[in-house]
Amino acid sequence: MSESQPKSLPNALPTSLRLFLSEVSVLFRRWRTWAMLVALAAVPVLIGLAVRFSPKGPPTGRGPAFLDQVTHNGLFVGVIGLIVCMPLFLPLTVGVVAGDTIAGEASLGTLRYLLVAPAGRIRLLVIKYLATVVFCVAAALAVVLGGVLAGLALFPVGRATLLSGDTIGPGEAFGRLLLMGGFATVSLLGLAAIGLFASTMTTVPVGAMAATIVLAVVSQVLDALDQLDWLHPWLLSDHWLDLADLLRQPISWGSFGENALLQAAYVAFFGALAYGRFTTKDILA
Amino acid sequence: MKRIWTRWLPAAAVPAAVAVAVLAGGASAVPPPSPSTPEQVLALVAAHTARQFSGTVEEKADLGLPSIPSQALGPATNSASLGSAATILELLTTSHTARVYADGPTKLRVQVMDQLAERDAVRNGNDAWTYDSKTNTATRVSVPAGGSTAEGSVPSTASPSVPAVTPDQLAQRFLTAAGTSTDISLGPTTTVAGHTAYTLVLTPKTPGTLVASVQIAVESQTGLPLSVDVYAKGQSDPALHTAFQNLDLHAPDASVFAFTPPAGATVKQEPLPAPKAGSGATPKASASPKPSQTGSSQASAAKSWDSVVVIPADKVPAGLTDSALVKQLASPVADGKLLSTSLVNVLVTNDGRVVAGAVPAATLMAAAK
């Protein structure tokens, strides 16, 4: 194996880690990635500005949940941002990144060079997926940070009111917000695996992106139909809006665990499908 | 490449593994508790000592009504009567999950967990609050000192915005009401929320009711009722189901029962609804004046299974009979409008009375005349 020859390596890092780091740096050197992250961060900022400069105060019980909480505690801008982004914007950006993973290389004609290097198809697949996971974390953090910065700049930060009517201090509120970001990240892992599989099916990245995003929307439409309630526990998006369970007192961890199990099952299934497809297909480009 | 199909094996193995995990999780062995008679189980419930517990309760209703999500019922209005009518309809047509914390007879917290919202009822001694996160409203309910008849009856029935009924409370109501009009037998032992339980089966003796049977699962060690299923005639799924999904028989943290209304919330003061005179043996059943599903079935069960409750026109909450929601679900009949479900029928007569009972519609119409 070539990785056992240290003199050919520029540094002492294992090959897998080097490939992973190079993949991540390629991802974050793209303008597209940064544009998506900035757009995500802009959502809570826009909400914050709209609430701050609207002539009347936010109406109670209307609009996105927690809107009337914002004027008491700026950190809730981040909470609203996550809830607003969860159904569409976050899946959209993850779909773009995940759909591009393999199909993007194939369309540029660089896939076979990647495979000429002793990377191996399985390792390439895993590294591509892990880089997508890094983007999922970055996307959720972008919303949280955009919300926190906008909230700190526009509103006072006081005690935050939870869904249960109890109040917590700003420090704990920030902790809960980060946990919600974590919940959003976990929620996106299954979709990232679907995107990876879609990406192995085609050499047209846009096709894979569109397929991934459409699946995310279809899953939510099915989730809204009461006639299909037997199907709901199996749907990718079933727990997406349960991130508000982290705003209860005491925290309701049940949905966090169920969501993690569900997403793990999706990752295993679509990861296995991607493996089956990618290791059997002829790489022509 | 030879045996290329083996590359697809993992993709086939994953669903198989998930199926095995799901099936293995569903079928757990039930260690049979010692044999017992219905009387022994009833004594166990009556003397039950599990006053300290925390758990999650699932509530489902299948009354043959169309499912109406709470969002479709519009934003919560300031009108209490319309709000409560919407709340009752929501309770009748959708399922709920609630967390319940109890410590002794006077400390109770019920949290109804809606999506992106929550309704709370807290009772700590003589201090009782309800809180609704959608409207950010906290309501203080005055509890007369020493007036606690049963655990938790005050906060959960004082405000119509918290429709939570724990298996414990519901089972106690049925058992209190079950007199000579009911056959009590013992069903097969079950497991609810990981606890072994006896099953009490309450069967009404009268043929004139829509209730086929009531099944109550009783924890075999402590006597705590773990689940209640109300079966309607001609329906295989329970019309009303409430059960613990998980249960911890330890004292919850004391901070759970401490409630201070948050800054910025609307704070209201509400007197405890006065019990109506002469409406049955249990004051708890009459604490809910609305013809809600639980209220009316309890009120009728208090006397006998096929009794009919008549609310005079001047006692009917304003806005209930002419609310658009009731109009949509009720069908016109000769004497008025009939809201028909598999378990309960409610007749709103043309002169404004509300007649309700767990009886067929014909019995209601006869009673309305």
Side-chain angles (χ1 to χ4, degrees):
Chain A
M1 292 294 284
S2 63
E3 57 244 75
S4 60
Q5 302 165 348
K7 60 180 178 181
S8 69
L9 298 174
N11 52 42
L13 290 174
T15 316
S16 300
L17 188 58
R18 249 180 345 103
L19 276 170
F20 171 65
L21 290 178
S22 108
E23 194 61 46
V24 171
S25 73
V26 166
L27 177 66
F28 282 96
R29 274 204 303 265
R30 287 186 153 185
W31 280 108
R32 187 175 70 190
T33 308
W34 285 103
M36 289 194 295
L37 291 179
V38 168
L40 282 173
V43 171
V45 173
L46 284 177
I47 294 172
L49 286 172
V51 173
R52 178 72 180 80
F53 294 108
S54 74
K56 291 174 285 181
T60 298
R62 280 175 52 205
F66 313 114
L67 199 56
D68 49 330
Q69 297 278 346
V70 165
T71 46
H72 301 297
N73 195 309
L75 290 176
F76 269 89
V77 180
V79 172
I80 297 175
L82 274 178
I83 290 170
V84 169
C85 289
M86 198 64 234
L88 185 62
F89 294 120
L90 281 171
L92 203 68
T93 53
V94 168
V96 167
V97 171
D100 193 53
T101 44
I102 304 293
E105 303 279 4
S107 75
L108 290 171
T110 47
L111 188 53
R112 60 180 148 177
Y113 298 110
L114 277 177
L115 293 175
V116 164
R121 294 190 180 191
I122 300 172
R123 181 152 66 181
L124 182 67
L125 212 52
V126 171
I127 282 167
K128 285 283 188 188
Y129 182 70
L130 289 180
T132 315
V133 171
V134 170
F135 178 80
C136 293
V137 176
L141 271 183
V143 180
V144 168
L145 289 182
V148 167
L149 292 180
L152 290 180
L154 296 170
F155 300 102
V157 174
R159 292 186 70 80
T161 305
L162 298 173
L163 285 176
S164 313
D166 302 88
T167 55
I168 52 172
E172 200 189 339
F174 185 65
R176 299 247 182 156
L177 190 52
L178 283 182
L179 273 178
M180 289 176 77
F183 191 103
T185 306
V186 171
S187 300
L188 294 167
L189 295 182
L191 187 68
I194 293 178
L196 184 73
F197 170 59
S199 193
T200 60
M201 299 288 287
T202 174
T203 57
V204 186
V206 175
M209 295 174 194
T212 311
I213 294 158
V214 164
L215 270 178
V217 174
V218 165
S219 168
Q220 292 179 82
V221 169
L222 294 180
D223 213 5
L225 293 177
D226 284 320
Q227 284 78 7
L228 296 174
D229 55 358
W230 54 270
L231 184 69
H232 289 174
W234 301 96
L235 287 175
L236 179 72
S237 59
D238 191 44
H239 293 290
W240 280 4
L241 286 180
D242 287 352
L243 52 86
D245 279 0
L246 296 171
L247 288 179
R248 304 187 197 277
Q249 182 75 350
I251 291 180
S252 173
W253 288 106
S255 59
F256 203 110
E258 282 169 32
N259 187 33
L261 267 181
L262 180 73
Q263 301 296 331
Y266 267 92
V267 170
F269 181 59
F270 283 95
L273 277 180
Y275 160 80
R277 168 69 186 163
F278 194 53
T279 50
T280 55
K281 89 171 189 177
D282 297 322
I283 307 294
L284 301 172
Chain B
M1 236 187 265
K2 262 181 152 185
R3 281 206 236 124
I4 213 160
W5 57 269
T6 56
R7 306 288 171 87
W8 292 96
L9 276 183
V14 170
V18 169
V20 166
V22 168
L23 290 177
S28 53
V30 182
S34 57
S36 191
T37 63
E39 288 73 28
Q40 284 174 320
V41 178
L42 281 174
L44 189 65
V45 181
H48 91 73
T49 49
R51 297 286 179 185
Q52 300 181 324
F53 60 86
S54 54
T56 311
V57 175
E58 196 195 26
E59 228 179 81
K60 262 191 245 167
D62 182 3
L63 296 171
L65 289 174
S67 180
I68 301 176
S70 54
Q71 292 93 331
L73 297 176
T77 53
N78 292 327
S79 157
S81 55
L82 187 63
S84 62
T87 308
I88 290 163
L89 277 172
E90 192 217 327
L91 169 69
L92 287 180
T93 57
T94 57
S95 60
H96 293 272
T97 307
R99 289 193 293 182
V100 181
Y101 302 88
D103 186 358
T106 59
K107 284 187 181 179
L108 181 90
R109 179 160 195 163
V110 179
Q111 302 180 312
V112 182
M113 303 200 285
D114 305 313
Q115 192 174 66
L116 302 180
E118 187 171 306
R119 285 166 286 173
D120 272 52
V122 196
R123 176 166 181 200
N124 193 357
N126 289 329
D127 209 18
W129 286 94
T130 64
Y131 178 76
D132 186 348
S133 78
K134 264 185 203 155
T135 52
N136 196 18
T137 309
T139 310
R140 181 173 204 149
V141 185
S142 338
V143 183
S148 60
T149 48
E151 69 193 72
S153 65
V154 171
S156 62
T157 54
S159 169
S161 68
V162 181
V165 178
T166 65
D168 189 20
Q169 295 169 318
L170 196 57
Q172 297 287 3
R173 289 180 189 182
F174 275 116
L175 291 175
T176 315
T180 49
S181 63
T182 312
D183 277 327
I184 300 181
S185 58
L186 213 54
T189 57
T190 54
T191 303
V192 179
H195 293 257
T196 317
Y198 302 109
T199 309
L200 280 175
V201 182
L202 278 60
T203 317
K205 282 178 183 167
T206 167
T209 173
L210 291 173
V211 180
S213 68
V214 178
Q215 299 197 356
I216 301 171
V218 178
E219 219 266 332
S220 59
Q221 298 293 317
T222 59
L224 179 74
L226 297 180
S227 77
V228 176
D229 289 270
V230 182
Y231 289 86
K233 279 179 181 160
Q235 189 176 318
S236 57
D237 293 330
L240 180 71
H241 165 83
T242 166
F244 278 105
Q245 284 180 313
N246 56 59
L247 178 68
D248 179 8
L249 290 170
H250 293 97
D253 195 62
S255 66
V256 168
F257 304 108
F259 183 82
T260 343
T266 318
V267 179
K268 286 188 202 161
Q269 183 88 26
E270 203 174 80
L272 186 68
K276 273 187 299 170
S279 82
T282 53
K284 284 160 284 175
S286 61
S288 170
K290 314 281 189 299
S292 73
Q293 188 270 328
T294 48
S296 58
S297 65
Q298 263 40 241
S300 56
K303 280 176 278 183
S304 70
W305 294 95
D306 57 354
S307 62
V308 173
V309 175
V310 180
I311 304 176
D314 54 336
K315 295 270 179 64
V316 175
L320 177 74
T321 51
D322 56 348
S323 85
L325 301 159
V326 171
K327 276 181 187 164
Q328 275 185 5
L329 286 178
S331 55
V333 290
D335 309 335
K337 290 187 289 287
L338 179 72
L339 181 63
S340 183
T341 72
S342 57
L343 193 63
V344 179
N345 280 314
V346 179
L347 177 69
V348 181
T349 59
N350 288 330
D351 53 359
R353 289 173 300 152
V354 172
V355 186
V359 293
T363 315
L364 276 191
M365 290 185 212
K369 277 175 183 149

